[in-house]
Each structure stands twice: as C-alpha cells, then as structure tokens.
Amino acid sequence: MSEKTTQELDMDETLNQALLDNFGFNAFKGNQKDIIGSILNKADTLVIMPTGGGKSLCYQLPAIMQEGTALIISPLIALMKNQVDLMRGYSSNDNIAHFLNSSLSRTQIKQVKTDLIDGHTKMLYVAPETLTKDETVAFLKQLDISFVAVDEAHCISEWGHDFRPEYRRIRAIVDAIDPELPIVALTATATPKVQDDILKNLQLRAPNIYIDSFNRPNLYYEIRPKGKPDVVIKQIIQFIKQNTGKSGIIYCLNRKTTEDIAEMLLANDIKAAAYHAGLEPHVRTERQDQFLSEEIDIIVATIAFGMGIDKPDVRYVIHYNMPKSLENYYQETGRAGRDGLEGRCVGFFNHVDMSKLEKFMRDKPVAEREVGGQHLSEVISYCESATCRREFLLHYFGEPYNEPNCCNCDNCLQPKEKIDLTNSAILAINAILGLKENFNAKYICTFLLGEETQEIIDFEHDQLEYFGEGDEQNRNYWNTVINQILLEDLLRKDIENYGILKVQEAGLEYIKKPYPLLRALNHEYDEVSATIEAETPQMTTLDQTLFNTLRDLRKRVAKVKKVPPYVVFQDRSLEEMATFYPITLEELENINGVSKGKAEKFGKEFIKLITDYVEQNEIERAMDLVMKSVANKSKAKIEIIKQIDKKIPLATIGKNLDLKPNELLAELEKIVDAGTKLNIDYHINNILDRDEQEEIFEYLMTAETDSVSDAARELGTDIYDEDDIRYVRIQFMSKMAH
Ligand code: ADP
Ligand code: ZN
C-alpha cells in the first residue's frame, strides 16, 4: 500500500466530515469514497454495486458538496419521489432535491423550476421521457449543472433485462446541454456485455470503473423441483412454519397466483397478503407498511413488489415461479438478508413454468424474443446445474469465484457425485470447432447425440467427423459438459449472435493440454417432479389401527362429557388425524372440523394418544402439518357467517348470495362441521316452537349416530321434516361441539 499524500489525507478528512454532517454515517461502505472522489474530480465514472450497497449516496454526497445542481436520470417515477423525500429528510432545506416527471402538475413544475433557477437545489431527478423533451433541454441549459448521474444504467442495453429505448438518447441530450459534463453511470446488475454497452452508449471518456463484488455470502441458494401446486404449497407452508415469526417474500408470476397463495396461507393461520400492480395504490401502500411494521409476515408478490423496499431483515425469498432472467433472480433474492444475517433463497423450478414464460414472449418483436429466450435459457442452466450456485451466478455477472465449496448452497451442502468429464470436454470443443463455431449449445448437443434433424441433414452435418460421437450419453449429459466448460471459460457465448458458442484461447489450449474436469451432472427436473407427484398419495394414507384406537377414545370421552361421540369429533376429522398424526394443539387445529375451541375442549387426550402411538411405532411423520384448504373459508362462507351474525333472515341470505334454501342449508352444515359456530336461534324460533326444539335437541344428545334420516324416523316423519332436524342439529353442534 502506498502512503497517502497530505492532500489525499485532507480529502479523506473532508469526505468523512461531509458524510457525517449530511447523512450521519461514520464510515463509507465499499468503494463509496473512491467513487465520490472520482465524481468530485469531474471524471466519467461507472459504478456497479449490488442492491443495498449504497449507490445513491455515491452521487448524493458529491451533489451536495459541489456548486450547482446534479442531474439524476432515473427510470422509476415511484422511486424518484421516494428518493427526494429521503433526501429532504436528511436536510433542513426542502428544496435540496426535486424531481421532474409526468406526475407533476403545471403549477408544481413551475415551482420546481423557480427553485432551480434560484440555485437552492442540489439534486434534480428527471425521468428519461421528460429529459428528451426540447423544453426540458432548453431549461436545463440555463442552469449550472455539476454532473449527470445515470441511475439504473443497465436500462441502456438491449441485453439487460430492463431495456428502455429513451436511455439511448442520454448522450445526445447531455451533449446538447453541455458536452463537457461528467457522467456517472450506476447499476446493480450488469453482465459484462451490458457493462460494455453502457460504456459505449454513454461514450464515457477514460472512465473510472468500480465494480463491487456481487457475492452475498450470507444468502443461501436452493432450487427445488416443482411438483403439483398443492404439493408445492404444502412445502411452502412447511417452510414458513419452520420459520415462524420471520419475514419473507414469495414471488409468483401472475396476480392470480399471488392471491391464491396468500389465501391458502391465511387459511393456515399465516399472516400473509398478496401484492401486485392490479391492486389499488392505497391497498399496496397499506400492505407494504404492514410488512415493514411486521403486522404481516409474508408478502406474496409479483415482481411489482420490492423496488425501493428497504427491509433489512427479510429472512427468506421463495420463488414459486422462477423469474425470466438471472438479473431478476439476483435482484429478488437480493432482498433477503440485507443486514448481512440469514437469508434463505428457495426457488421452485420446472420446465412448464419456463415454457409459460416463453409463450408470453410470442407476440414480441423478434429481437426482443431472441434476447428473452437467452435470458430464459440462462435461468434453466442455473437451475439444472449441480455445481455451486454462487459460482454460477457470479460467473454470469463476470466475476470469478474460485472457492471449491461455498458451504451455503444446496449443491455445495448436498453434493452429487462428480464424474470425469475431461474427454467429453475435449470432444465438445472439437465438435464446436468442426462446426466452425457457428452454432448454439442446443445444436451442438443435437450434433453430438447424432440426431438426424432436418437442419442437420440440410447442412450435411451428419457427414462431419464428430457427428453422433456422444450418442451413448443423453442430452442432459451434454448440456452439463457445455455448461461446465463455459464456467471454466474455455468457451464463450456470443449473446449478440443467438448464443452461438465460440472457443476461447483457453479452450484451444485445453484440447492440447487437458486437465482433469471433475463435475457433477446436471439435475434432471422433469423426472424428479414426476416422482414428487407420485409420492403424494402415499404420504396421506389412513392408518386404520390408529383410526380404530381414536374411535375408542372418542367413545370414552363422549361418555364422560355426556355427549354423543360425533359431537366430540366427526369421523372425517378422526380419519385426518389417523393420516397426518397431529401431535400438538396447533397441528390439531389444522385438521378439518377442528376449531380452536374444540381442540382445547377435547383435544388433549387425542394428542397424547397420537404422540404415544407415533413414538411406539416409530412413525416418521411425512409432513409436520396438515393444510387447511381454502375451500373451508371461501368468500361465500365468510359472507354467510357475517350475515348470520347480523341475524339476517336465512331466506334473505339465500337471495343475497344466490343460494337455494337447500343449498344454503348444506353450506351451514359444512361451516359447522368444519369447526365454526353459528347462532341460528333466531331462525329456529321462527320455524319450531320451544317444545319441539327441545325434543329434537334431546334426541340428538342421546343419538348413537349422526344420521338425520335415523333421527326423523325416531322422532316421527309426520311431525318433523328432515330440514327441521338439520337446522336444530346445526344449533346443537354449535353449542355442544365447539
Ligand atoms: P442501493 O441503491 O445500492 O440499493 P441504497 O443507496 O438504497 O442502496 O443504500 C442502501 C442502504 O444503505 C440505505 O439504507 C442507505 O442509507 C445505507 N447506506 C448507504 N451508505 C451508507 C454508509 N456509508 N454507511 C451506512 N449506511 C449507508
Ligand atoms: Zn455453493
């Protein structure tokens, strides 16, 4: 390390003081100080820093420290306001930051412009759409601009995941304002190709480039094969219950899925809410606030959620659907563990989801489809890869990672057996060279496998030397080989050119002087997903012995409590207990037909019996919980419960909800049988006089069976019709069973 000059030490001192004075922070994070120095020196600068690294401060502090106003170009109107509010929060001067975008009224724009001309404003945030207007440029020319910051600079590149054509005009506009203005470009995601695009497009002059490590050592990455929705949801609920009280985000592809999953979680007593762009803004804000204040633990969201959210202690991010690019994946998983502590990132992957994403792109222009397709194939490679996930991600962002084991991803913690791919790597490189480095990975695999596709025949590639030489292996094997030699940097993918594979210098070396390449074969998800579906019924078989024992217990309990057995628990509930083996009161409440009250009233002995049984028979409980299905709490049911609470006549409720009398009656029975009390005395008083009610009630009290037709026969079909008995039974169950 070289000694610092006095001048540099002075600068250090000044910067530290400015940081403390303006933001109250004691030290700079990462490269912040050097970046700020570069901006103060009027040099062009490129900053690549993962989310949470503290990018904003890199331009905010030099903006405050310099004469004039810094121009900050930012694509997201919502974020702009947020940033300006934050900045104002740090300063006593409300005019310190302003924004110009389409959300402002004419009067507001006038006010902003006046403040700018008066020279009170240090930062002006502008949307690219606003910037490209002639009048904006004319206005900005009158100002003393200190420098230009281009936030989310990856938007400039078609090869990023968030291309914005207006970003392409930034250089021309800056030139129109003042060609000498220094530019600082900042982004949280940029593959090497995108970095290159940013430099070229903004024509940065001898820029200082600062790239922070993308490694987030505290994040644990895991990809699981995705089975049927109900299986996945069970897995998710299990995961959440193992992490009670912690905050998490679940990402889904579409709005409906977020709603469905949130509803499932709520039905299972998990505090969750959906979040997507289709919700009213005030609902979104409310849910966001509830999440921040931990009134709700889990947000089930589309990608609309997360931008500008700064909750440091999100403990897990689950991808119910994998996103459409690794950039998205990195950003979304990046919202976990921002405080540097635990952050578990679990993704559920299958090929069906990927095909859906591909279909969404069908109507897009060819160029966009091409880019989108390549992004998808990277996500697939990532999921299928059986090597370190961290290594894969970092390699994708152009960062070397040489640890043999990161100890914090599924593939490192449960490594698959490695096999020797050396000869296959040589064969693949030779095949690529033989095909004149003009084809993508898929084609190379087809070629090595010796498949006579139309394309192969048209090109007469079946005549070439290596055609079919890899045919003892399958496609997964060759995909693995190609992925691994890409990771080794023996190959390069030309993404501007349909992802065709080029052999690197190192690849040519390799075929001359190979070194052993020991790697695990890719995961094969379709097979695994199929077994997950097949296994499910097994996990849920009824244990007949336990069921019989539970019935005996029920009989005894019923006798002691002087109620009929079905009042204690219904058969259906016992069946579920003998399937899922609940051993705590909480788990028992998850059994259908068991309310909290019922669990407390009758549950203890049942739990004890099941616990002993599980221990004695060394039963491995497949699932630690049973899901309550949403069906129990559908909207109609909730409505019925509410209206009965208000003592609305049943006939009216039927009309309100478009249910025939017998349909409504059946719903009421389901509600009560599922464990919710209903007070329908007001209805029964209208249809039966007191003596009649008592007679039926007494019968139910002593009945051996739960059968309504038995009851009618016993009580006299000429006196009561079955519906009368059913209504009283509802009342009876509500009073006695819950
Ligand atoms: P990015 O834009 O890179 O995602 P932000 O600019 O939002 O990150 O900063 C992330 C968080 O780090 C913010 O809460 C910010 O106040 C904080 N932060 C930034 N710089 C520092 C620093 N030098 N010391 C302490 N906290 C900082
Ligand atoms: Zn790893």
Side-chain angles (χ1 to χ4, degrees):
M1 243 202 281
S2 59
E3 296 264 312
K4 291 194 171 177
T5 62
T6 335
Q7 212 180 356
E8 279 169 341
L9 286 173
D10 281 351
M11 187 64 185
D12 264 15
E13 186 56 40
T14 318
L15 286 179
N16 286 337
Q17 195 58 46
L19 178 68
L20 189 64
D21 291 348
N22 292 288
F23 292 91
F25 298 140
N26 293 317
F28 287 99
K29 287 211 282 195
N31 290 320
Q32 276 178 335
K33 188 186 274 182
D34 292 342
I35 295 165
I36 292 165
S38 167
I39 298 175
L40 291 174
N41 279 331
K42 304 270 174 203
D44 280 354
T45 310
L46 172 65
V47 176
I48 298 176
M49 199 186 263
T51 308
K55 268 182 300 302
S56 338
L57 194 132
C58 294
Y59 54 79
Q60 287 163 341
L61 192 61
I64 297 170
M65 291 174 72
Q66 292 188 91
E67 291 289 312
T69 308
L71 190 62
I72 298 146
I73 303 168
S74 166
L76 296 161
I77 292 181
L79 275 193
M80 236 178 249
K81 181 163 182 331
N82 211 317
Q83 290 265 352
V84 167
D85 287 346
L86 271 173
M87 222 34 252
R88 287 179 184 162
Y90 279 119
S91 168
S92 54
N93 168 14
D94 259 1
N95 296 326
I96 190 164
H98 274 303
F99 60 87
L100 274 181
N101 62 35
S102 54
S103 75
L104 295 183
S105 68
R106 256 168 205 288
T107 334
Q108 284 171 318
I109 290 177
K110 223 173 176 176
Q111 184 57 49
V112 169
K113 289 188 172 176
T114 314
D115 283 343
L116 282 160
I117 289 173
D118 290 348
H120 300 307
T121 303
K122 288 283 154 202
M123 280 159 260
L124 175 65
Y125 288 80
V126 260
E129 300 79 17
T130 313
L131 190 65
T132 49
K133 285 188 189 140
D134 290 345
E135 52 170 293
T136 315
V137 176
F139 170 73
L140 292 173
K141 271 180 152 170
Q142 307 167 37
L143 301 180
D144 173 18
I145 308 252
S146 49
F147 65 91
V148 178
V150 181
D151 207 357
E152 312 287 348
H154 59 274
C155 294
I156 224 165
S157 171
E158 284 177 83
W159 299 98
H161 60 297
D162 198 11
F163 176 48
R164 308 229 169 191
E166 317 85 56
Y167 258 62
R168 289 291 176 94
R169 297 180 54 195
I170 292 177
R171 178 76 249 176
I173 289 162
V174 173
D175 282 345
I177 300 168
D178 173 4
E180 296 301 310
L181 280 176
I183 296 183
V184 49
L186 309 99
T187 174
T189 62
T191 55
K193 168 72 192 144
V194 174
Q195 294 171 25
D196 198 47
D197 268 6
I198 296 172
L199 293 175
K200 289 211 177 99
N201 232 284
L202 288 174
Q203 295 169 32
L204 298 189
R205 290 157 294 201
N208 293 320
I209 301 179
Y210 301 93
I211 304 180
D212 249 26
S213 173
F214 273 64
N215 190 11
R216 298 275 309 273
N218 61 315
L219 294 192
Y220 163 78
Y221 299 105
E222 175 181 344
I223 298 295
R224 297 190 192 176
K226 182 173 182 181
K228 285 184 181 164
D230 56 330
V231 179
V232 182
I233 289 171
K234 243 183 212 176
Q235 288 174 299
I236 291 178
I237 291 177
Q238 191 173 28
F239 181 95
I240 294 171
K241 296 240 163 163
Q242 284 161 356
N243 288 279
T244 13
K246 297 181 186 171
S247 296
I249 305 174
I250 302 176
Y251 281 108
C252 308
L253 203 56
N254 58 47
R255 296 171 185 186
K256 176 146 190 337
T257 317
T258 64
E259 304 265 356
D260 290 350
I261 294 182
E263 210 177 326
M264 283 299 282
L265 299 186
L266 282 173
N268 285 280
D269 300 322
I270 293 167
K271 288 181 271 173
Y275 187 103
H276 55 72
L279 296 168
E280 296 281 327
H282 74 269
V283 177
R284 269 188 284 165
T285 317
E286 186 185 43
R287 293 189 178 171
Q288 193 166 310
D289 290 346
Q290 287 176 324
F291 183 60
L292 291 175
S293 64
E294 296 178 2
E295 274 167 67
I296 51 179
D297 292 331
I298 291 143
I299 284 280
V300 191
T302 58
I303 48 171
F305 182 76
M307 295 194 231
I309 285 284
D310 192 5
K311 184 165 169 49
D313 56 352
V314 173
R315 291 286 156 247
Y316 54 89
V317 168
I318 296 176
H319 278 96
Y320 178 81
N321 303 104
M322 286 302 285
K324 59 183 195 295
S325 73
L326 283 182
E327 280 91 337
N328 283 312
Y329 176 74
Y330 183 82
Q331 289 225 314
E332 287 158 21
T333 52
R335 298 193 175 112
R338 284 178 69 155
D339 54 6
L341 303 175
E342 183 188 44
R344 300 179 73 79
C345 312
V346 178
F348 287 90
F349 171 79
N350 64 17
H351 285 281
V352 181
D353 278 0
M354 292 291 121
S355 311
K356 272 189 212 155
L357 286 171
E358 206 169 354
K359 279 196 200 121
F360 287 156
M361 299 191 298
R362 228 174 0 204
D363 303 325
K364 298 259 162 87
V366 186
E368 221 173 295
R369 245 183 6 229
E370 157 64 19
V371 177
Q374 287 200 36
H375 279 297
L376 282 186
S377 77
E378 292 290 349
V379 175
I380 296 172
S381 297
Y382 170 78
C383 294
E384 287 182 337
S385 175
T387 47
C388 179
R389 305 224 180 257
R390 197 171 307 280
E391 180 190 2
F392 195 109
L393 279 177
L394 293 178
H395 184 266
Y396 181 74
F397 291 110
E399 184 178 333
Y401 183 77
N402 298 320
E403 301 296 321
N405 188 319
C406 82
C407 298
N408 208 13
C409 80
D410 52 355
N411 288 336
C412 284
L413 293 177
Q414 288 116 31
K416 271 177 71 170
E417 187 198 353
K418 290 183 180 156
I419 55 171
D420 186 353
L421 299 177
T422 317
N423 290 331
S424 303
I426 298 170
L427 175 58
I429 295 173
N430 278 324
I432 294 165
L433 291 170
L435 289 165
K436 307 240 162 13
E437 300 177 82
N438 244 334
F439 294 88
N440 65 14
K442 193 170 168 202
Y443 193 86
I444 306 291
C445 289
T446 310
F447 176 82
L448 285 166
L449 291 167
E451 290 172 12
E452 289 168 354
T453 62
Q454 199 56 47
E455 228 181 340
I456 296 258
I457 291 168
D458 289 349
F459 286 128
E460 296 183 5
H461 284 159
D462 50 342
Q463 309 300 316
L464 290 182
E465 187 180 354
Y466 300 103
F467 179 74
E469 273 202 25
D471 63 358
E472 316 93 87
Q473 305 292 356
N474 62 10
R475 187 168 285 272
N476 185 55
Y477 178 89
W478 288 110
N479 270 331
T480 307
V481 172
I482 290 175
N483 279 338
Q484 294 307 325
I485 53 184
L486 274 164
L487 271 179
E488 281 294 296
D489 289 321
L490 305 181
L491 300 180
R492 178 174 65 81
K493 206 182 272 175
D494 187 352
I495 54 171
E496 265 169 291
N497 242 326
Y498 311 102
I500 64 178
L501 298 174
K502 303 280 185 190
V503 179
Q504 300 271 67
E505 206 51 50
L508 296 174
E509 274 300 304
Y510 189 80
I511 43 180
K512 278 186 245 151
K513 256 210 257 156
Y515 53 84
L517 192 68
L518 284 168
R519 293 294 168 99
L521 284 189
N522 281 356
H523 302 289
E524 285 189 83
Y525 282 101
D526 284 339
E527 275 175 30
V528 191
S529 312
T531 53
I532 290 185
E533 290 168 13
E535 267 176 17
T536 329
Q538 274 178 17
M539 301 191 301
T540 56
T541 43
L542 173 69
D543 183 329
Q544 195 62 48
T545 319
L546 176 60
F547 179 69
N548 294 340
T549 327
L550 288 170
R551 281 182 68 145
D552 289 345
L553 174 62
R554 177 177 68 178
K555 216 182 268 167
R556 272 181 275 133
V557 172
K559 215 175 223 159
V560 175
K561 304 256 179 191
K562 297 203 174 62
V563 290
Y566 66 86
V567 166
V568 177
F569 288 118
Q570 293 191 301
D571 275 1
R572 212 177 45 143
S573 302
L574 292 190
E575 272 172 18
E576 272 198 15
M577 289 179 213
T579 308
F580 295 105
Y581 309 101
I583 56 170
T584 64
L585 272 184
E586 202 196 5
E587 285 176 0
L588 188 67
E589 282 167 36
N590 274 335
I591 298 287
N592 277 305
V594 183
S595 59
K596 202 178 175 67
K598 202 180 190 83
E600 275 164 13
K601 207 158 161 185
F602 304 117
K604 278 207 193 82
E605 289 177 77
F606 287 80
I607 286 171
K608 180 159 186 328
L609 187 148
I610 298 169
T611 311
D612 292 347
Y613 183 86
V614 165
E615 266 172 31
Q616 279 157 20
N617 296 285
E618 292 180 9
I619 287 171
E620 269 207 37
R621 304 189 311 145
M623 282 280 155
D624 289 352
L625 71 132
V626 187
M627 274 200 302
K628 264 195 182 157
S629 62
V630 176
N632 294 335
K633 290 189 182 174
S634 72
K635 292 210 175 66
K637 291 207 172 75
I638 292 171
E639 223 18 73
I640 293 173
I641 296 169
K642 275 194 200 153
Q643 300 197 8
I644 284 181
D645 261 357
K646 291 188 199 146
K647 300 205 176 10
I648 295 175
L650 293 192
T652 315
I653 297 180
K655 243 183 245 146
N656 289 346
L657 300 173
D658 202 15
L659 291 171
K660 296 193 189 96
N662 58 340
E663 287 171 343
L664 179 61
L665 177 53
E667 286 297 317
L668 298 181
E669 286 173 330
K670 276 192 218 152
I671 292 170
V672 170
D673 288 347
T676 304
K677 287 186 196 197
L678 286 179
N679 183 353
I680 56 165
D681 291 358
Y682 70 98
H683 175 73
I684 294 176
N685 290 339
N686 279 341
I687 56 170
L688 296 168
D689 64 36
R690 206 152 285 278
D691 293 344
E692 291 170 325
Q693 290 180 34
E694 272 172 20
E695 189 179 6
I696 301 176
F697 209 95
E698 262 164 39
Y699 165 79
L700 291 173
M701 201 63 194
T702 54
E704 272 301 310
T705 77
D706 194 12
S707 153
V708 173
S709 44
D710 283 357
R713 221 172 302 121
E714 189 76 20
L715 291 162
T717 36
D718 47 340
I719 308 176
Y720 303 107
D721 68 29
E722 287 195 7
D723 284 0
D724 294 339
I725 297 169
R726 286 167 71 186
Y727 283 119
V728 178
R729 184 181 160 277
I730 289 167
Q731 185 191 36
F732 171 78
M733 292 297 280
S734 297
K735 290 194 174 135
M736 304 306 294
H738 300 309

